[in-house]
Amino acid sequence: MPRLIVDGVEVEVPAGATVLQACEAAGVEVPRFCYHERLSIAGNCRMCLVEMEKAPKPVASCAMPAADGQVVMTTTPKVKKAREGVMEFLLINHPLDCPICDQGGECDLQDQSLAYGKGFTRYQENKRAVTEKFMGPLVKTAMTRCIHCTRCVRFAEEVAGVEEIGAIGRGENMQITTYLEKAVTSEVSGNIIDLCPVGALTSKPYAFQARPWELKKTDGIDVMDALGSNIVFGSRGPAVMRVTPRINDYVNEEWLSDKARFACDGLSERRLDRPYVRVGGKLKAASWVEAFAAIKTGLAGVPGDAIAGIVGDLAAVEDMVALKDLLATLGSTRIESRQDGARFPTAARGDYLFNSGLPGIEDADVVLLVGTDPRREAPLLNVRLRKKASRGLSRVFGIGPAVDLTYDMSWLGDDAALLGSVPAALAEALGKAERPAIIVGMGALRTPGLYESARALAAKYEVVRDGWNGWNLLHTAAARVGALDLGLSVDGGVAALADARALFLLGADECDMGADAFTVYIGTHGDRGVRHADVILPAAAYAEKAATWVNLEGRAQRGLRAVFPPGEAREDWTIFRALSSVLGTPLAYDDLRALRARIAAEWPHLAGGDAAPASLSDPGQAAAPSGPLRLAIDNYYLTNPIARASQTMAECVEQILAPMREAAE
């Protein structure tokens, strides 16, 4: 490990580190525009110049490897003059339109020009102007502001794997653009907004809505997929104005999927803001008292074993526990969370977890995907899979419908029978692998017997071994793992609840149980779940409550309330607590603290404690599956009520998805 001196401070850095990283280790701030920790080194902007002993001129610290014995100086007059010169060149063609720039207030160029700018210009020529580019409904461009740092280009190529952004022209005529002036088709394209150090790339839906200092920032957890990305809600008054990523290297690193970032406008559209009761076949607005009275009447005479519940994809742990406790007072334990019809055992926690973990899956040297499309089902997981696969350090095989995952892989076919008669190439790779992994999607698990066959394959090639567990289910619902931890599953899945005479739907919009049962819908939007509802109770969305979610790897995470629910809507668990009093058996908690104490007593890992090791049960024998596999997601942008209410997601379907499908046809 090299030792070097930075401004008189001796530091030791790992082999392969750069001088810029050594400066950071010494506590010295070095300005930069093109350098980013998670992208390759470009050395474009030259803002990170430092003086090095025996070097004839200032050195770009981002591109200079740290070596033993180096003496680096960052505050000398030569460095100051060099940085001022670089800043002067960067601002030659910059329009200096901070008052109307959406990046104002969180702009690297603005901040660094204050620290390193001269305060005047010697440039008297006409400034260069660049035509605006079209990058789709998510990214707004003002390319006259571009300083050619190429962060967006490198992100598109290296992280997203969609090589649709690049540079054309040379010298003063160089421009960053999408080559064909079409929308960027990546599911993580919004991250180039965060990466852009100037106002060239900004959020199109958020344009001219607010300045950063006007927003209240609240930590939250994303529910648009099962990854559990850490996010920050930017809210003003009653509205969530934007969603941005929060750094968590164990989950989402510092990236965010486009749906998680941009679907937040659906929080204010098509909302349920008052209770409704069906009278004479038509829904009519009602008070909470009237709605609860209607539920009490509808449940009269219904035995406990004829009452059931279905948990939706966005439900929080606290809400599911309250529903479970409410139904228990009515004599029912019939609650199902797998509304997509996926079939798999839940006897042991390891049966249904993503056991390799999100950081751990990067260590796998052979990965088999079974009936899953991680690019759409969990875009940031696909980013992790791409890290090694794109460099040839891991091999990826797939059984199921062939899709473009942005990296080289071998599709073996879409017949489930391939799990029983493994192709030679896959058998050889799994046999030699030190850390093999199998990832099974929810779409594949609709096929009877597939889970058992996949587990048999995992056992044959020792996917689970000392120090490594490569058995993984890729869930698509944020609520799924938490619900399974709570025991919210029944033999036979949702189909087994068809005989229920009374049904509680907790935000369940992805299944149709018909109109025979007395149905109570508790949710946020007037979506699919309200079609046959006899009583509708308005609830709080994920940004409107303090709650816990468990991601696909079993990690319990808590989000905070950013805004209050609209109108008469209330937090879900408080609805069940109030209803329990009307039904005659009040639940044993009156506030969130007491509810969480009840959760911690029975499920300590959901309250921040350590979970027991995720063991696997014996899946038993089943008939060998056959036939084509299906994918869990057909339309990435419209997978839940919030996304379906989002105007931005609708524009993505029109401008991104529809042209892609037309081109495929």
Side-chain angles (χ1 to χ4, degrees):
M1 296 176 66
R3 292 175 177 268
L4 59 161
I5 297 174
V6 178
D7 289 344
V9 178
E10 184 176 10
V11 293
E12 185 176 11
V13 294
T18 64
V19 170
L20 188 149
Q21 292 170 321
C23 292
E24 290 183 336
V28 176
E29 181 182 354
V30 177
R32 83 291 299 267
F33 290 114
C34 68
Y35 174 80
H36 191 275
E37 293 81 357
R38 302 184 196 273
L39 302 177
S40 63
I41 295 172
N44 292 340
C45 72
R46 320 307 286 182
M47 194 65 203
C48 64
L49 293 174
V50 297
E51 188 176 356
M52 187 177 295
E53 194 175 73
K54 299 180 181 179
K57 59 183 180 180
V59 172
S61 59
C62 72
M64 174 63 68
D68 207 45
Q70 288 176 333
V71 179
V72 179
M73 295 152 284
T74 68
T75 58
T76 63
K78 180 185 286 188
V79 171
K80 181 176 183 295
K81 182 178 180 181
R83 291 176 180 173
E84 287 180 351
V86 169
M87 179 59 68
E88 190 173 9
F89 274 112
L90 288 175
L91 294 177
I92 278 179
N93 286 307
H94 198 79
L96 306 180
D97 53 355
C98 299
I100 61 167
C101 176
D102 261 354
Q103 197 87 329
E106 49 189 6
C107 173
D108 291 349
L109 182 64
Q110 194 176 55
D111 295 340
Q112 293 186 37
S113 64
L114 177 66
Y116 303 100
K118 285 182 175 247
F120 61 91
T121 179
R122 295 175 290 176
Y123 190 71
Q124 302 298 327
E125 308 299 325
N126 293 327
K127 287 180 178 286
R128 183 189 73 152
V130 181
T131 57
E132 304 309 341
K133 313 301 179 186
F134 176 73
M135 291 193 179
L138 305 179
V139 181
K140 177 177 177 289
T141 65
M143 302 312 290
T144 299
R145 303 169 185 159
C146 179
I147 62 171
H148 300 166
C149 70
T150 69
R151 280 186 180 182
C152 57
V153 177
R154 285 175 284 150
F155 175 85
E157 293 179 356
E158 299 165 11
V159 179
V162 178
E163 299 181 3
E164 296 174 346
I165 304 176
I168 60 173
R170 300 180 65 187
E172 189 177 8
N173 296 320
M174 178 178 170
Q175 299 182 23
I176 304 295
T177 180
T178 51
Y179 294 117
L180 300 177
E181 293 279 340
K182 292 185 177 180
V184 180
T185 59
S186 171
E187 291 75 20
V188 292
S189 64
N191 292 289
I192 63 177
I193 296 169
D194 298 332
L195 288 172
C196 184
V198 297
L201 304 175
T202 55
S203 171
K204 186 174 285 188
Y206 175 69
F208 309 117
Q209 297 297 310
R211 288 296 195 182
W213 57 82
E214 297 179 282
L215 302 181
K216 181 183 75 171
K217 297 176 177 62
T218 309
D219 291 348
I221 302 298
D222 171 54
V223 298
M224 295 296 147
D225 56 33
L227 202 80
S229 298
N230 288 214
I231 57 177
V232 177
F233 295 108
S235 60
R236 185 177 63 184
V240 174
M241 308 295 291
R242 68 173 180 177
V243 173
T244 51
R246 181 160 46 100
I247 296 176
N248 186 330
D249 286 333
Y250 298 103
V251 182
N252 58 301
E253 300 178 292
E254 63 182 80
W255 313 128
L256 196 58
S257 69
D258 287 350
K259 187 164 52 176
R261 184 188 296 268
F262 294 108
C264 60
D265 60 331
L267 289 169
S268 59
E269 301 294 333
R270 289 191 243 163
R271 285 301 298 268
L272 298 172
D273 59 358
R274 67 186 68 181
Y276 289 87
V277 175
R278 193 175 296 276
V279 180
K282 295 184 178 181
L283 288 171
K284 295 185 177 180
S287 67
W288 280 100
V289 173
E290 293 169 336
F292 285 168
I295 295 173
K296 185 173 183 179
T297 301
L299 294 177
V302 180
D305 59 1
I307 302 174
I310 300 178
V311 171
D313 292 349
L314 312 184
V317 168
E318 291 83 355
D319 307 327
M320 294 186 287
V321 170
L323 174 62
K324 179 177 181 176
D325 291 346
L326 174 66
L327 264 60
T329 66
L330 300 174
S332 174
T333 58
R334 302 176 66 193
I335 308 178
E336 179 57 70
S337 58
R338 297 168 294 181
Q339 57 175 336
D340 54 10
R343 308 181 186 190
F344 52 87
T346 59
R349 200 165 188 247
D351 291 343
Y352 54 82
L353 288 185
F354 195 91
N355 292 289
S356 298
L358 293 171
I361 197 63
E362 297 181 24
D363 296 329
D365 48 4
V366 175
V367 179
L368 171 62
L369 305 177
V370 181
T372 183
D373 176 6
R375 181 177 172 184
R376 279 85 186 179
E377 296 171 21
L380 298 184
L381 169 64
N382 197 59
V383 166
R384 288 185 181 271
L385 291 172
R386 174 181 160 75
K387 283 185 183 180
K388 290 180 66 174
S390 62
R391 292 179 289 159
L393 301 179
S394 67
R395 298 184 66 186
V396 183
F397 296 86
I399 297 175
V403 291
D404 178 15
L405 297 182
T406 73
Y407 45 85
D408 291 336
M409 61 174 301
S410 302
W411 288 103
L412 305 175
D414 67 347
D415 191 346
L418 289 169
L419 290 172
S421 56
V422 180
L426 175 60
E428 181 183 3
L430 289 175
K432 295 180 179 179
E434 295 182 5
R435 291 176 176 256
I438 296 177
I439 302 177
V440 184
M442 292 297 107
L445 291 174
R446 299 174 192 168
T447 302
L450 187 132
Y451 182 92
E452 291 78 8
S453 293
R455 280 288 302 276
L457 181 66
K460 179 178 180 180
Y461 291 100
E462 297 183 341
V463 167
V464 181
R465 57 184 70 173
D466 289 342
W468 174 252
N469 189 336
W471 175 252
N472 304 291
L473 295 196
L474 178 51
H475 294 282
T476 56
R480 184 69 51 82
V481 171
L484 297 176
D485 282 352
L486 297 173
L488 306 186
S489 62
V490 296
D491 292 339
V494 172
L497 305 181
D499 63 342
R501 291 169 52 190
L503 193 61
F504 285 81
L505 302 181
L506 177 55
D509 292 276
E510 313 306 325
C511 62
D512 188 356
M513 296 301 292
D516 296 334
F518 173 76
T519 304
V520 180
Y521 178 82
I522 307 96
T524 59
H525 288 70
D527 203 72
R528 301 169 181 170
V530 305
R531 285 174 294 188
H532 307 302
D534 296 287
V535 179
I536 299 174
L537 304 178
Y542 71 113
E544 300 162 356
K545 56 189 174 186
T548 306
W549 286 271
V550 185
N551 77 346
L552 50 76
E553 58 181 346
R555 186 188 304 271
Q557 302 181 106
R558 284 181 177 170
L560 304 177
R561 180 174 60 197
V563 295
F564 287 92
E568 298 179 39
R570 297 293 181 266
E571 294 182 34
D572 309 58
W573 75 264
T574 65
I575 295 173
F576 298 129
R577 171 61 182 85
L579 178 58
S580 68
S581 295
V582 174
L583 298 179
T585 309
L587 300 181
Y589 34 82
D590 295 322
D591 56 33
L592 185 60
R593 180 179 298 180
L595 172 56
R596 285 180 170 170
R598 179 262 185 278
I599 295 171
E602 188 167 350
W603 304 280
H605 67 282
L606 299 181
D610 292 332
S615 59
L616 277 70
S617 66
D618 182 1
Q621 297 291 326
S626 62
L629 298 178
R630 294 175 293 173
L631 298 177
I633 292 179
D634 177 59
N635 187 329
Y636 166 73
Y637 298 104
L638 305 178
T639 56
N640 60 63
I642 298 174
R644 287 191 285 269
S646 166
Q647 178 62 33
T648 304
M649 294 297 99
E651 292 176 1
C652 288
V653 172
E654 179 183 352
Q655 299 181 29
I656 300 176
L657 189 60
M660 288 176 62
R661 288 180 171 175
E662 289 177 5
E665 293 173 357

